[in-house]
Amino acid sequence: MSNRNPRIIHSVIFSLKHAQGSEQERRFLEDGRSILSGIPVVNDFQVFRQVSPKNDYDFGFSMVFDSQADYEAYNDHPAHSAFVNERWKVEVEKFLEIDYEAI
């Protein structure tokens, strides 16, 4: 049942410190899409607005990696590190990160 080189789906759901519908909210989501999807190992980057009443997060980023090595390269990539340090840690109020691999 194991997959030899499993793809990894990296998802993070989050809420921002910015007011809903604000320019700051829009800019964060657009910059996140632009910066993170520009990292070469990132596949199928998507931005979501959370609609379920079952939790109180507002947005989601999702992306796919072809291997664990690609996922690690993403985590170590300077563009990812800069986004986390300069934007994520400053503008995100709360988040939950989930990483999946096919079994």
Side-chain angles (χ1 to χ4, degrees):
M1 204 180 202
S2 85
N3 189 345
R4 219 159 184 259
N5 285 316
R7 296 182 80 193
I8 295 172
I9 300 171
H10 171 66
S11 301
V12 60
I13 59 170
F14 58 94
S15 293
L16 296 171
K17 296 176 181 176
H18 307 303
Q20 281 190 328
S22 68
E23 176 63 20
Q24 293 92 345
E25 177 188 85
R26 184 194 64 74
R27 194 172 327 121
F28 180 90
L29 298 173
E30 286 185 8
D31 289 349
R33 179 192 316 268
S34 173
I35 293 165
L36 301 175
S37 68
I39 298 171
V41 294
V42 172
N43 299 300
D44 196 25
F45 186 93
Q46 296 183 55
V47 178
F48 298 101
R49 182 177 306 278
Q50 203 289 118
V51 296
S52 172
K54 296 178 183 176
N55 72 67
D56 59 355
Y57 294 95
D58 296 320
F59 301 102
F61 286 166
S62 177
M63 61 201 83
V64 178
F65 301 97
D66 289 333
S67 66
Q68 181 66 35
D70 283 357
Y71 177 64
E72 291 168 10
Y74 163 78
N75 277 321
D76 294 336
H77 194 280
H80 175 257
S81 296
F83 184 77
V84 168
N85 289 320
E86 297 167 13
R87 303 295 299 279
W88 190 269
K89 289 180 178 179
V90 175
E91 299 178 60
V92 172
E93 182 176 33
K94 62 183 176 175
F95 73 96
L96 175 64
E97 185 174 315
I98 303 171
D99 299 311
Y100 299 102
E101 67 179 32
I103 54 172

